[in-house]
Amino acid sequence: MNELLLESYDYKLPKELIALSPIMPQENAKLLVYDRKDCSIAHTTFRDFASFLPKKTLLVFNDTKVIPARIYGKKPQKEALGGGKIEALFHKEIMENLYLMQLKGRLKIGNIVEFGEVFAKILKDCGMGFKEVSFFKDEKCLHPLSHQEFFDFLQQSGHIPLPPYIKREDNQEDRVNYNSVFAKNMGAIAAPTASLHFSQESFRALQMDFENAFVTLHVGAGTFIGVSTENILEHKMHQETFVIPKESVEKIKKASHITAIGTTAARVLEYFARTKEMQGECDLFLHPQNKPIITNALLTNFHLPKTTLLMLVASFVGLDETKRIYQQAIEKKYRFYSYGDGMLVL
């Protein structure tokens, strides 16, 4: 099987194995444990997660927080095609009152969109449905929203942007369930899903028993975008904003063994290992020909076919073993994707 061909990362998943909501309590989720020393696979639950970890490992968590990033509006009646529904998805803040948004609806530069008592003005078309937008308190766009006012507006009026394969509307429970118990820094539009497996109790226990550090990577919609190039090396990786606090950098430098809690934490760690940058835009693409160099173990969920996330798993265990692991997970009826079960690679 050619590890550079996109088709090699395809697999068939029965629809009933796509998780539409999380297992509660979190510790009841299944956990597949793969040991690279002997290629063995064990099946357990998250209640036993800590027992598989080396005592001296440094656990690295991504503390990004998913925001209610999807908002619905309309064009004012007085405009041509006024009243038409508009769906907007926040991606990132470019600078004060300038945001990259993905918009659905017929819009062009200069158009105004009404989101209740807040108004948005289209300033630049970036292609692929993405536009640069500013937000205002009035329809004439004379009084801009501050950074805090914009994010307060999203909290009040926005919807949690559940992954496209979860075919239901978001609800109030998703505001809690689609964030980790240690989520702190607002800015993600998708959850670092490996982190969702920990309750307050199990997370506190991990903090007591293991050295731990936090990084922030604001997960973007690019995490769901499949690879379309036949040769995966030709894929252009998406960028996501990250920050590594100085305290975490010191712990990472001293660590003899590192366990990444999620693919996003792994990408930050590996980007830092290659660039020594503590903040910026991470566009690292891990795959079988670009393997991890400082991350010793990985906790992750089961990912969609033909995605960079699946290729990241293959960077740790190889393509053939990835396929074997996934086939066994399907046979054992593991729950897949964001609200699904997990796997630990040792």
Short mmCIF file of all heavy atoms in Angstrom, two decimals, residues 6-47:
data_model
loop_
_atom_site.label_atom_id
_atom_site.label_comp_id
_atom_site.label_asym_id
_atom_site.label_seq_id
_atom_site.Cartn_x
_atom_site.Cartn_y
_atom_site.Cartn_z
N LEU A 6 -3.54 9.14 -1.86
CA LEU A 6 -4.72 9.50 -1.09
C LEU A 6 -5.65 8.30 -0.90
O LEU A 6 -6.20 8.10 0.19
CB LEU A 6 -5.46 10.64 -1.79
CG LEU A 6 -6.78 11.10 -1.16
CD1 LEU A 6 -6.55 11.61 0.26
CD2 LEU A 6 -7.44 12.17 -2.02
N GLU A 7 -5.82 7.49 -1.93
CA GLU A 7 -6.74 6.36 -1.86
C GLU A 7 -6.35 5.36 -0.76
O GLU A 7 -7.19 4.61 -0.28
CB GLU A 7 -6.81 5.64 -3.21
CG GLU A 7 -7.54 6.41 -4.28
CD GLU A 7 -8.99 6.73 -3.88
OE1 GLU A 7 -9.66 5.84 -3.32
OE2 GLU A 7 -9.43 7.87 -4.12
N SER A 8 -5.08 5.37 -0.37
CA SER A 8 -4.62 4.45 0.67
C SER A 8 -5.21 4.79 2.03
O SER A 8 -5.18 3.97 2.95
CB SER A 8 -3.08 4.48 0.75
OG SER A 8 -2.51 4.07 -0.47
N TYR A 9 -5.76 5.99 2.17
CA TYR A 9 -6.30 6.45 3.46
C TYR A 9 -7.83 6.40 3.49
O TYR A 9 -8.45 7.05 4.32
CB TYR A 9 -5.79 7.86 3.76
CG TYR A 9 -4.29 7.90 3.93
CD1 TYR A 9 -3.46 8.08 2.83
CD2 TYR A 9 -3.70 7.70 5.18
CE1 TYR A 9 -2.08 8.09 2.97
CE2 TYR A 9 -2.32 7.70 5.32
CZ TYR A 9 -1.52 7.90 4.22
OH TYR A 9 -0.15 7.90 4.36
N ASP A 10 -8.39 5.62 2.58
CA ASP A 10 -9.84 5.46 2.55
C ASP A 10 -10.26 4.22 3.33
O ASP A 10 -9.49 3.26 3.44
CB ASP A 10 -10.33 5.34 1.10
CG ASP A 10 -11.81 5.61 0.97
OD1 ASP A 10 -12.42 6.10 1.95
OD2 ASP A 10 -12.36 5.36 -0.12
N TYR A 11 -11.41 4.26 3.91
CA TYR A 11 -12.00 3.08 4.55
C TYR A 11 -13.51 3.26 4.62
O TYR A 11 -14.01 4.38 4.52
CB TYR A 11 -11.40 2.84 5.95
CG TYR A 11 -11.78 3.87 6.99
CD1 TYR A 11 -12.92 3.72 7.78
CD2 TYR A 11 -11.00 5.00 7.20
CE1 TYR A 11 -13.27 4.68 8.74
CE2 TYR A 11 -11.33 5.96 8.15
CZ TYR A 11 -12.47 5.79 8.91
OH TYR A 11 -12.83 6.72 9.85
N LYS A 12 -14.22 2.17 4.77
CA LYS A 12 -15.69 2.22 4.83
C LYS A 12 -16.14 2.07 6.27
O LYS A 12 -15.76 1.13 6.96
CB LYS A 12 -16.29 1.11 3.96
CG LYS A 12 -16.05 1.33 2.47
CD LYS A 12 -16.72 0.26 1.63
CE LYS A 12 -16.49 0.52 0.14
NZ LYS A 12 -17.12 -0.53 -0.71
N LEU A 13 -16.95 3.04 6.71
CA LEU A 13 -17.45 3.05 8.08
C LEU A 13 -18.97 2.92 8.07
O LEU A 13 -19.65 3.75 7.45
CB LEU A 13 -17.05 4.36 8.78
CG LEU A 13 -17.51 4.49 10.23
CD1 LEU A 13 -16.72 3.54 11.13
CD2 LEU A 13 -17.37 5.93 10.73
N PRO A 14 -19.51 1.94 8.77
CA PRO A 14 -20.97 1.87 8.90
C PRO A 14 -21.51 3.13 9.56
O PRO A 14 -20.96 3.61 10.55
CB PRO A 14 -21.18 0.64 9.80
CG PRO A 14 -19.93 -0.18 9.63
CD PRO A 14 -18.83 0.82 9.42
N LYS A 15 -22.59 3.69 9.01
CA LYS A 15 -23.14 4.95 9.50
C LYS A 15 -23.50 4.90 10.98
O LYS A 15 -23.41 5.90 11.69
CB LYS A 15 -24.35 5.36 8.67
CG LYS A 15 -24.01 5.84 7.28
CD LYS A 15 -25.26 6.33 6.55
CE LYS A 15 -24.90 6.84 5.16
NZ LYS A 15 -26.11 7.29 4.42
N GLU A 16 -23.90 3.72 11.44
CA GLU A 16 -24.34 3.63 12.84
C GLU A 16 -23.18 3.79 13.82
O GLU A 16 -23.40 3.96 15.02
CB GLU A 16 -25.05 2.29 13.10
CG GLU A 16 -24.19 1.05 12.90
CD GLU A 16 -24.26 0.48 11.50
OE1 GLU A 16 -24.66 1.22 10.57
OE2 GLU A 16 -23.92 -0.70 11.33
N LEU A 17 -21.94 3.77 13.33
CA LEU A 17 -20.79 3.96 14.22
C LEU A 17 -20.36 5.42 14.34
O LEU A 17 -19.42 5.74 15.06
CB LEU A 17 -19.60 3.11 13.74
CG LEU A 17 -19.82 1.59 13.77
CD1 LEU A 17 -18.53 0.86 13.39
CD2 LEU A 17 -20.31 1.13 15.14
N ILE A 18 -21.04 6.33 13.64
CA ILE A 18 -20.76 7.76 13.78
C ILE A 18 -21.48 8.27 15.02
O ILE A 18 -22.71 8.20 15.11
CB ILE A 18 -21.23 8.54 12.54
CG1 ILE A 18 -20.48 8.06 11.30
CG2 ILE A 18 -21.01 10.05 12.75
CD1 ILE A 18 -20.96 8.71 10.01
N ALA A 19 -20.72 8.75 15.99
CA ALA A 19 -21.29 9.21 17.26
C ALA A 19 -21.96 10.57 17.08
O ALA A 19 -21.32 11.51 16.61
CB ALA A 19 -20.21 9.28 18.32
N LEU A 20 -23.22 10.67 17.47
CA LEU A 20 -23.96 11.91 17.37
C LEU A 20 -24.02 12.67 18.69
O LEU A 20 -24.37 13.84 18.73
CB LEU A 20 -25.38 11.64 16.88
CG LEU A 20 -25.49 10.95 15.52
CD1 LEU A 20 -26.95 10.77 15.13
CD2 LEU A 20 -24.74 11.73 14.44
N SER A 21 -23.66 12.00 19.77
CA SER A 21 -23.61 12.63 21.09
C SER A 21 -22.59 11.87 21.92
O SER A 21 -22.26 10.71 21.62
CB SER A 21 -24.99 12.59 21.77
OG SER A 21 -25.46 11.26 21.86
N PRO A 22 -22.06 12.48 22.98
CA PRO A 22 -21.01 11.83 23.77
C PRO A 22 -21.56 10.77 24.72
O PRO A 22 -22.73 10.80 25.10
CB PRO A 22 -20.39 12.99 24.55
CG PRO A 22 -21.52 13.96 24.70
CD PRO A 22 -22.34 13.85 23.45
N ILE A 23 -20.69 9.85 25.09
CA ILE A 23 -20.99 8.88 26.15
C ILE A 23 -20.88 9.60 27.49
O ILE A 23 -19.95 10.36 27.73
CB ILE A 23 -19.99 7.71 26.12
CG1 ILE A 23 -20.26 6.81 24.90
CG2 ILE A 23 -20.05 6.90 27.39
CD1 ILE A 23 -21.48 5.96 25.01
N MET A 24 -21.84 9.38 28.37
CA MET A 24 -21.78 9.93 29.72
C MET A 24 -22.00 8.82 30.73
O MET A 24 -22.91 8.01 30.55
CB MET A 24 -22.84 11.02 29.91
CG MET A 24 -22.55 12.29 29.12
SD MET A 24 -21.05 13.11 29.73
CE MET A 24 -20.86 14.44 28.53
N PRO A 25 -21.17 8.74 31.80
CA PRO A 25 -20.02 9.60 32.07
C PRO A 25 -18.88 9.35 31.07
O PRO A 25 -18.81 8.27 30.47
CB PRO A 25 -19.62 9.22 33.49
CG PRO A 25 -20.10 7.83 33.66
CD PRO A 25 -21.36 7.73 32.86
N GLN A 26 -18.01 10.33 30.95
CA GLN A 26 -16.95 10.26 29.94
C GLN A 26 -16.06 9.03 30.08
O GLN A 26 -15.57 8.49 29.09
CB GLN A 26 -16.06 11.52 30.00
CG GLN A 26 -16.75 12.80 29.58
CD GLN A 26 -17.25 13.60 30.76
OE1 GLN A 26 -17.75 13.04 31.73
NE2 GLN A 26 -17.11 14.93 30.70
N GLU A 27 -15.85 8.58 31.32
CA GLU A 27 -14.94 7.46 31.56
C GLU A 27 -15.47 6.15 30.99
O GLU A 27 -14.72 5.17 30.88
CB GLU A 27 -14.69 7.30 33.06
CG GLU A 27 -13.87 8.41 33.68
CD GLU A 27 -14.69 9.65 34.00
OE1 GLU A 27 -15.92 9.63 33.83
OE2 GLU A 27 -14.08 10.65 34.43
N ASN A 28 -16.74 6.11 30.59
CA ASN A 28 -17.31 4.89 30.02
C ASN A 28 -16.98 4.72 28.54
O ASN A 28 -17.26 3.67 27.96
CB ASN A 28 -18.82 4.87 30.19
CG ASN A 28 -19.23 4.55 31.61
OD1 ASN A 28 -18.39 4.23 32.45
ND2 ASN A 28 -20.51 4.62 31.91
N ALA A 29 -16.42 5.74 27.91
CA ALA A 29 -16.05 5.63 26.50
C ALA A 29 -14.99 4.55 26.32
O ALA A 29 -14.13 4.33 27.18
CB ALA A 29 -15.52 6.96 25.99
N LYS A 30 -15.06 3.87 25.19
CA LYS A 30 -14.07 2.83 24.91
C LYS A 30 -12.70 3.44 24.63
O LYS A 30 -12.61 4.56 24.10
CB LYS A 30 -14.51 1.99 23.71
CG LYS A 30 -15.74 1.13 23.93
CD LYS A 30 -16.06 0.36 22.65
CE LYS A 30 -17.29 -0.50 22.81
NZ LYS A 30 -17.62 -1.21 21.55
N LEU A 31 -11.66 2.70 24.93
CA LEU A 31 -10.29 3.12 24.67
C LEU A 31 -9.53 1.97 24.05
O LEU A 31 -9.40 0.90 24.66
CB LEU A 31 -9.60 3.58 25.95
CG LEU A 31 -8.13 4.00 25.81
CD1 LEU A 31 -8.00 5.25 24.94
CD2 LEU A 31 -7.50 4.25 27.19
N LEU A 32 -9.04 2.17 22.84
CA LEU A 32 -8.15 1.21 22.19
C LEU A 32 -6.72 1.64 22.48
O LEU A 32 -6.37 2.80 22.27
CB LEU A 32 -8.42 1.18 20.69
CG LEU A 32 -7.66 0.17 19.83
CD1 LEU A 32 -8.50 -0.20 18.59
CD2 LEU A 32 -6.29 0.71 19.39
N VAL A 33 -5.91 0.71 22.96
CA VAL A 33 -4.52 1.01 23.30
C VAL A 33 -3.60 0.25 22.35
O VAL A 33 -3.64 -0.99 22.30
CB VAL A 33 -4.20 0.66 24.76
CG1 VAL A 33 -2.75 1.05 25.09
CG2 VAL A 33 -5.17 1.36 25.70
N TYR A 34 -2.79 0.99 21.61
CA TYR A 34 -1.86 0.39 20.66
C TYR A 34 -0.43 0.63 21.14
O TYR A 34 -0.03 1.78 21.36
CB TYR A 34 -2.03 0.99 19.27
CG TYR A 34 -1.06 0.45 18.25
CD1 TYR A 34 -1.31 -0.75 17.60
CD2 TYR A 34 0.11 1.14 17.93
CE1 TYR A 34 -0.43 -1.26 16.66
CE2 TYR A 34 1.00 0.66 16.99
CZ TYR A 34 0.74 -0.55 16.36
OH TYR A 34 1.63 -1.05 15.44
N ASP A 35 0.32 -0.45 21.31
CA ASP A 35 1.71 -0.35 21.77
C ASP A 35 2.64 -0.59 20.59
O ASP A 35 2.66 -1.68 19.99
CB ASP A 35 1.97 -1.39 22.87
CG ASP A 35 3.28 -1.12 23.61
OD1 ASP A 35 4.22 -0.58 22.99
OD2 ASP A 35 3.34 -1.42 24.82
N ARG A 36 3.43 0.43 20.25
CA ARG A 36 4.32 0.32 19.09
C ARG A 36 5.48 -0.64 19.31
O ARG A 36 6.09 -1.09 18.33
CB ARG A 36 4.84 1.72 18.72
CG ARG A 36 3.79 2.60 18.08
CD ARG A 36 4.33 3.96 17.71
NE ARG A 36 4.55 4.80 18.87
CZ ARG A 36 5.04 6.03 18.83
NH1 ARG A 36 5.38 6.56 17.67
NH2 ARG A 36 5.19 6.74 19.94
N LYS A 37 5.77 -0.97 20.57
CA LYS A 37 6.89 -1.89 20.83
C LYS A 37 6.63 -3.28 20.27
O LYS A 37 7.52 -3.91 19.71
CB LYS A 37 7.16 -1.99 22.34
CG LYS A 37 7.70 -0.71 22.97
CD LYS A 37 8.13 -0.99 24.40
CE LYS A 37 8.63 0.27 25.09
NZ LYS A 37 7.52 1.20 25.40
N ASP A 38 5.41 -3.75 20.43
CA ASP A 38 5.09 -5.10 19.96
C ASP A 38 3.87 -5.13 19.04
O ASP A 38 3.36 -6.22 18.70
CB ASP A 38 4.87 -6.06 21.13
CG ASP A 38 3.77 -5.58 22.08
OD1 ASP A 38 3.10 -4.58 21.76
OD2 ASP A 38 3.60 -6.21 23.14
N CYS A 39 3.38 -3.95 18.63
CA CYS A 39 2.22 -3.83 17.74
C CYS A 39 0.97 -4.49 18.33
O CYS A 39 0.08 -4.95 17.59
CB CYS A 39 2.52 -4.45 16.37
SG CYS A 39 3.89 -3.64 15.50
N SER A 40 0.88 -4.52 19.65
CA SER A 40 -0.27 -5.15 20.31
C SER A 40 -1.42 -4.15 20.44
O SER A 40 -1.20 -2.93 20.51
CB SER A 40 0.12 -5.67 21.69
OG SER A 40 0.53 -4.60 22.53
N ILE A 41 -2.62 -4.68 20.47
CA ILE A 41 -3.83 -3.87 20.64
C ILE A 41 -4.60 -4.38 21.85
O ILE A 41 -4.85 -5.57 21.98
CB ILE A 41 -4.73 -3.94 19.39
CG1 ILE A 41 -4.02 -3.33 18.18
CG2 ILE A 41 -6.05 -3.21 19.64
CD1 ILE A 41 -4.80 -3.45 16.88
N ALA A 42 -4.94 -3.47 22.74
CA ALA A 42 -5.75 -3.81 23.92
C ALA A 42 -7.03 -2.98 23.87
O ALA A 42 -7.05 -1.86 23.35
CB ALA A 42 -4.98 -3.53 25.20
N HIS A 43 -8.11 -3.54 24.43
CA HIS A 43 -9.39 -2.86 24.44
C HIS A 43 -9.84 -2.65 25.89
O HIS A 43 -9.92 -3.60 26.66
CB HIS A 43 -10.44 -3.67 23.68
CG HIS A 43 -10.07 -3.92 22.25
ND1 HIS A 43 -10.21 -2.96 21.27
CD2 HIS A 43 -9.54 -5.02 21.64
CE1 HIS A 43 -9.79 -3.46 20.11
NE2 HIS A 43 -9.39 -4.70 20.31
N THR A 44 -10.12 -1.40 26.23
CA THR A 44 -10.52 -1.08 27.60
C THR A 44 -11.43 0.14 27.57
O THR A 44 -12.07 0.40 26.55
CB THR A 44 -9.26 -0.85 28.48
OG1 THR A 44 -9.66 -0.59 29.83
CG2 THR A 44 -8.42 0.30 27.97
N THR A 45 -11.51 0.88 28.67
CA THR A 45 -12.27 2.13 28.71
C THR A 45 -11.38 3.23 29.29
O THR A 45 -10.27 2.95 29.79
CB THR A 45 -13.54 2.00 29.58
OG1 THR A 45 -13.14 1.90 30.95
CG2 THR A 45 -14.37 0.81 29.17
N PHE A 46 -11.89 4.45 29.27
CA PHE A 46 -11.11 5.57 29.77
C PHE A 46 -10.91 5.53 31.29
O PHE A 46 -10.08 6.28 31.81
CB PHE A 46 -11.72 6.90 29.34
CG PHE A 46 -11.20 7.37 28.01
CD1 PHE A 46 -11.73 6.89 26.84
CD2 PHE A 46 -10.13 8.25 27.95
CE1 PHE A 46 -11.24 7.31 25.61
CE2 PHE A 46 -9.62 8.67 26.74
CZ PHE A 46 -10.17 8.20 25.55
N ARG A 47 -11.61 4.66 31.97
CA ARG A 47 -11.35 4.49 33.41
C ARG A 47 -9.93 3.99 33.65
O ARG A 47 -9.35 4.22 34.71
CB ARG A 47 -12.36 3.51 34.01
CG ARG A 47 -13.78 4.03 33.99
CD ARG A 47 -14.75 3.13 34.74
NE ARG A 47 -16.12 3.62 34.57
CZ ARG A 47 -16.65 4.62 35.25
NH1 ARG A 47 -15.92 5.25 36.16
NH2 ARG A 47 -17.90 5.00 35.03
#
